[in-house]
Amino acid sequence: MSNNALNLILEHAKEEEHQASLALNQARIERQNYLQQLQQIEQYRLDYCKQLSTRGQEGLTASSYGHLQKFLTQLDETLAKQKEAGHQFEFQIEQCSEHWNEVRKKRRSIEWLLEKKQTEQQKMLDRQEQKMMDEFSTLQFARRNL
């Protein structure tokens, strides 16, 4: 395979690695947004519990208390669903990370192959140069002895 073809493959691998890196960063951002949203819901629930306690001390009707308790139950269910969704964010990050590592290894392999080919080519050129120098020395020696 020619160096030009390998360079083209390397450029493609670099772009693929860049895209994988962007996807990994995006997954991390989405997880962070999720965690912030989860924290906000938990804080809202805490504030609501405090409000329920304060209103309870002031005196609540059974109906009002039932409505407030029902809303609190809905918040708890929402939190439970949100926490379940958190596993999906972790899974997404894991998948993106694995993909990024795979394409990074691929890029490194291509770079190694290119370096190997360049080293072999340089060795061949060095041997050719040495051969030409040997022939030149032999010719000079032969001319001197004639």
Side-chain angles (χ1 to χ4, degrees):
M1 186 174 282
S2 73
N3 281 356
N4 286 342
L6 279 175
N7 282 326
L8 188 62
I9 292 170
L10 178 60
E11 289 306 313
H12 177 71
K14 285 180 180 180
E15 178 59 29
E16 190 176 3
E17 181 181 9
H18 177 69
Q19 292 301 319
S21 174
L22 291 176
L24 177 58
N25 287 336
Q26 184 61 37
R28 287 177 176 159
I29 289 169
E30 288 173 5
R31 179 187 60 184
Q32 187 60 37
N33 290 341
Y34 154 78
L35 290 173
Q36 287 174 349
Q37 184 180 27
L38 184 63
Q39 185 180 18
Q40 288 172 348
I41 294 171
E42 288 172 339
Q43 184 61 47
Y44 181 70
R45 184 191 181 285
L46 181 63
D47 292 345
Y48 193 79
C49 284
K50 288 177 184 176
Q51 179 185 5
L52 178 61
S53 176
T54 303
R55 288 180 70 187
Q57 291 174 356
E58 295 171 357
L60 278 174
T61 66
S63 173
S64 294
Y65 181 78
H67 289 306
L68 294 171
Q69 192 61 37
K70 182 179 177 184
F71 183 69
L72 193 57
T73 302
Q74 288 175 337
L75 276 176
D76 288 339
E77 289 172 2
T78 300
L79 275 170
K81 288 178 185 176
Q82 283 292 101
K83 288 180 181 180
E84 282 181 32
H87 298 295
Q88 182 61 33
F89 288 101
E90 296 301 325
F91 179 74
Q92 181 71 19
I93 287 174
E94 185 179 318
Q95 293 294 321
C96 288
S97 182
E98 287 175 9
H99 178 66
W100 176 69
N101 281 322
E102 288 172 18
V103 296
R104 187 176 63 169
K105 285 179 187 176
K106 178 181 171 183
R107 180 203 34 94
R108 287 180 174 173
S109 295
I110 294 167
E111 287 176 340
W112 176 83
L113 184 59
L114 261 170
E115 288 174 13
K116 183 179 176 187
K117 284 185 74 73
Q118 289 170 347
T119 301
E120 288 172 359
Q121 188 175 17
Q122 187 60 46
K123 284 180 182 178
M124 184 186 72
L125 290 173
D126 290 346
R127 282 192 303 268
Q128 286 176 346
E129 184 179 352
Q130 185 62 46
K131 183 179 176 183
M132 287 181 359
M133 295 298 287
D134 290 347
E135 288 175 4
F136 181 72
S137 293
T138 303
L139 284 174
Q140 279 188 331
F141 180 76
R143 284 187 185 158
R144 283 189 209 145
N145 290 335
L146 287 176

